[in-house]
């Protein structure tokens, strides 16, 4: 009888409950309430902005890099430097330094994280890389020091580096049995044959990473000095890395020269036709790369298949997460369903609660690279304490609701909850201690 009852629940009552819940949600939808209507608009506005500013320049190159990791980086190399049995100092050092070099947002790092995790990286180093990518951004830390004060900038830098290593070590310790089993399985795997010298792969990946980094180089506070010079010439630098990538594909990966030349001509033509819209030649170049790889049957075709697999898995979850995040919290400078006055009131002072609220809200909000600094500046002007400001800076750039949805699809619900909890707890305690010290 119990079995029959549970079967009826799963086949009849459970689907009926879901249908009834959805029906009631639409039946009582508060359309006409100004805050709800505005939240819907903010949700769509944030998703539109995300699609315009981050999908083409950030995510698509990141998908190609993740696909390249899956195809062109040997599993033995990943396990040697980032595997569960790798030297801890080497593994966590490589993971944190890689994040510093990439300097991407919490969503762009996800395809890269999924790629190294799939190739056999240990959970601890993979988590360290996942956190360090968006958190240890040199330009963002310099901007924090310039806008919010040197002490907050230094505290953010130290906290982010320590977090990436400590949280990775804790995650590895929690799942040590699983990691030990992974070490044994990896030890029995045969050593793969290398098809090309390491230095050629380094140049190839350097070109891909260069395109990703410089195409998304953020505008500094002042267009002067080194950062300003890089920003004003970022598209020329990006084009240089694009030419380097074209050379590697022809010289070392066997792509026919006339195909690469055709893509280069179309890309240059788009640059001449749209001199004030640098995204146009970037899109043409991406379309050309897609045409080259998707029509190939060799390792170029494998590269496209892997990249498309990551895009198909990750992109829908990211867009759903951005929609929900925009609905609840709005865009920077705009309100969603939750009033910004509530947020400002909740993060004043330096209590554990105010630091927790700052960490929690920061973890669920979406921050594009460098946007967290002016947001925190505005909150500080509205009464936010120094401790909660640091807590938000440590939790916000590394996490977001879209980010969490994708992490769950890669490592599962339990590990995702553990990672998010550790980031929020560490950010809360660090902000609280920093606020007490500053006070």
């Amino acid at each position: 009888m119990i079995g029959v009852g549970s079967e009826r629940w799963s086949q009849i009552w459970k689907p009926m409950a879901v249908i009834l819940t959805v029906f009631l949600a639409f039946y009582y939808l508060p359309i006409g309430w100004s805050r709800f209507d505005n939240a819907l608009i903010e949700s769509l506005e944030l998703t539109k902005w995300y699609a315009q500013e981050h999908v083409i320049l950030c995510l698509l190159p990141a998908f190609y890099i993740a696909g390249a990791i899956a195809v062109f980086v040997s599993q033995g190399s990943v396990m040697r430097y980032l595997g569960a049995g790798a030297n801890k100092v080497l593994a966590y050092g490589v993971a944190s330094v890689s994040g510093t070099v990439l300097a991407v947002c919490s969503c762009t790092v996800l395809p890269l994280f999924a790629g190294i995790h799939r190739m056999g990286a240990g959970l601890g180093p993979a988590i360290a890389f996942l956190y360090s990518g968006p958190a240890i951004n040199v330009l963002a830390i310099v901007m924090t020091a310039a806008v919010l004060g040197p002490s907050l900038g230094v505290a953010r830098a130290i906290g982010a580096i320590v977090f990436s290593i400590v949280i990775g070590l804790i995650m590895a310790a929690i799942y040590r049995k699983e990691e030990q089993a992974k070490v044994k399985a990896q030890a029995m795997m045969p050593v793969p044959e290398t098809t090309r010298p390491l230095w050629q792969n380094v140049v190839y990946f350097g070109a891909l990473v260069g395109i990703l980094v410089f195409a998304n180089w953020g505008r500094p506070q002042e267009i002067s000095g080194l950062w300003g010079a890089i920003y004003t010439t970022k598209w020329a630098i990006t084009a240089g890395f694009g030419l380097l990538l074209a050379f590697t594909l022809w010289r070392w990966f066997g792509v026919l020269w006339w195909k690469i030349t055709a893509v280069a001509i179309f890309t240059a033509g788009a640059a001449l036709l749209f001199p004030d819209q640098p995204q146009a030649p970037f899109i043409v170049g991406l379309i050309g790369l897609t045409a080259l790889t998707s029509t190939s049957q060799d390792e170029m075709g494998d590269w496209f298949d892997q990249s498309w697999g990551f895009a198909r898995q990750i992109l829908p979850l990211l867009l759903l997460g951005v929609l929900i995040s925009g609905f609840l919290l709005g865009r920077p400078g705009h309100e969603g369903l939750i009033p910004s006055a509530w947020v400002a009131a909740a993060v004043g002072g330096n209590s554990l609660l105010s630091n927790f609220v700052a960490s929690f809200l920061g973890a669920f909000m979406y921050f594009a690279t460098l946007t967290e600094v002016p947001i925190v500046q505005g909150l500080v002007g509205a009464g936010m304490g120094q401790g909660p400001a640091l807590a938000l800076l440590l939790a916000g750039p590394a996490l977001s609701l879209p980010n969490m949805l994708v992490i769950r699809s890669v490592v599962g619900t339990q590990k995702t909850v553990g990672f998010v909890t550790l980031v929020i707890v560490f950010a809360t305690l660090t902000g609280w201690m920093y606020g007490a010290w500053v006070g």
Side-chain angles (χ1 to χ4, degrees):
M1 294 296 292
I2 296 177
V4 174
S6 61
E7 184 177 347
R8 287 183 63 81
W9 162 251
S10 62
Q11 293 183 357
I12 300 176
W13 302 115
K14 186 177 178 180
M16 187 179 294
V18 172
I19 293 172
L20 181 60
T21 301
V22 172
F23 170 76
L24 291 175
F26 279 99
Y27 188 87
Y28 290 105
L29 205 62
I31 293 176
W33 179 33
S34 59
R35 179 162 294 280
F36 180 83
D37 293 348
N38 181 70
L40 285 177
I41 294 173
E42 286 302 310
S43 177
L44 296 175
E45 287 281 3
L46 182 65
T47 308
K48 173 186 174 182
W49 171 83
Y50 182 83
Q52 291 177 341
E53 299 294 331
H54 288 273
V55 172
I56 295 172
L57 297 181
C58 299
L59 280 176
L60 296 185
F63 289 139
Y64 270 109
I65 295 175
I69 292 172
V71 175
F72 302 116
V73 176
S74 69
Q75 198 165 19
S77 298
V78 173
M79 292 186 298
R80 178 182 177 185
Y81 295 105
L82 296 173
N87 178 275
K88 292 290 187 294
V89 175
L90 177 65
Y92 288 92
V94 169
S96 60
V97 169
S98 300
T100 305
V101 171
L102 289 171
V104 293
C105 70
S106 61
C107 291
T108 308
V109 76
L110 294 171
L112 312 181
F113 164 71
I116 64 171
H117 183 268
R118 181 183 295 180
M119 290 298 291
L123 179 63
I127 289 293
F129 174 82
L130 175 65
Y131 181 86
S132 69
I136 310 175
N137 184 328
V138 176
L139 184 56
I141 290 171
V142 171
M143 190 173 176
T144 300
V147 175
L148 301 173
S151 63
L152 197 57
V154 172
R156 180 184 182 183
I158 295 173
I161 294 170
V162 172
F163 276 26
S164 67
I165 297 172
V166 172
I167 292 176
L169 288 169
I170 292 174
M171 289 291 290
I174 293 173
Y175 296 96
R176 60 186 178 276
K177 292 183 179 180
E178 184 177 314
E179 292 295 284
Q180 289 169 357
K182 185 185 293 186
V183 171
K184 292 179 180 179
Q186 292 173 350
M188 298 175 64
M189 295 178 62
V191 178
E193 296 181 4
T194 56
T195 58
R196 60 181 57 85
L198 175 63
W199 69 271
Q200 292 183 0
N201 279 336
V202 169
V203 174
Y204 162 70
F205 275 97
L208 288 172
V209 171
I211 292 170
L212 173 64
V213 170
F214 289 100
N216 294 283
W217 195 271
R219 180 186 178 92
Q221 194 174 17
E222 297 181 1
I223 305 298
S224 60
L226 176 61
W227 303 125
I230 294 175
Y231 178 76
T232 54
T233 59
K234 70 177 217 174
W235 288 111
I237 299 172
T238 303
F241 279 110
L243 291 173
L244 178 61
L245 175 63
F247 172 80
T248 63
L249 295 180
W250 163 70
R251 189 69 179 84
W252 301 324
F253 293 85
V255 180
L256 296 176
W257 67 268
W258 64 267
K259 291 184 177 181
I260 293 177
T261 302
V263 173
I265 290 173
F266 280 112
T267 304
L272 293 174
L273 287 173
F274 305 98
D276 298 326
Q277 300 179 35
Q279 280 197 5
F282 193 90
I283 293 171
V284 172
L286 277 174
I287 293 173
L289 180 61
T290 302
L292 289 176
T293 54
S294 62
T295 56
S296 299
Q297 301 297 322
D298 53 10
E299 58 184 3
M300 288 289 100
D302 293 338
W303 182 20
F304 173 80
D305 290 341
Q306 292 289 340
S307 302
W308 168 239
F310 285 115
R312 186 172 52 195
Q313 173 191 4
I314 291 173
L315 198 54
L317 293 174
L318 284 179
L319 293 179
L320 174 63
V322 172
L323 276 168
I324 297 172
S325 181
F327 178 77
L328 295 177
L329 298 166
R331 295 170 293 156
H334 299 78
E335 288 191 355
L337 189 64
I338 301 173
S340 58
W342 292 9
V343 177
V347 295
N350 190 53
S351 65
L352 274 173
L353 179 60
S354 62
N355 280 280
F356 170 76
V357 170
S359 302
F360 185 84
L361 290 178
F364 282 85
M365 290 178 67
Y366 173 73
F367 293 96
T369 306
L370 301 181
T371 59
E372 73 275 10
V373 177
I375 290 172
V376 171
Q377 184 183 25
L379 289 171
V380 169
M384 186 182 208
Q386 289 291 303
L390 177 61
L392 191 149
L393 288 171
L394 290 173
L399 289 174
S400 65
L401 180 59
N403 162 286
M404 295 175 198
L405 293 175
V406 176
I407 295 173
R408 178 185 174 276
S409 72
V410 176
V411 298
T413 302
Q414 190 180 78
K415 293 186 180 72
T416 302
V417 171
F419 172 62
V420 173
T421 301
L422 285 171
V423 171
I424 292 175
V425 169
F426 272 83
T428 299
L429 294 176
T430 304
W432 178 62
M433 291 186 289
Y434 173 78
W437 175 69
V438 171

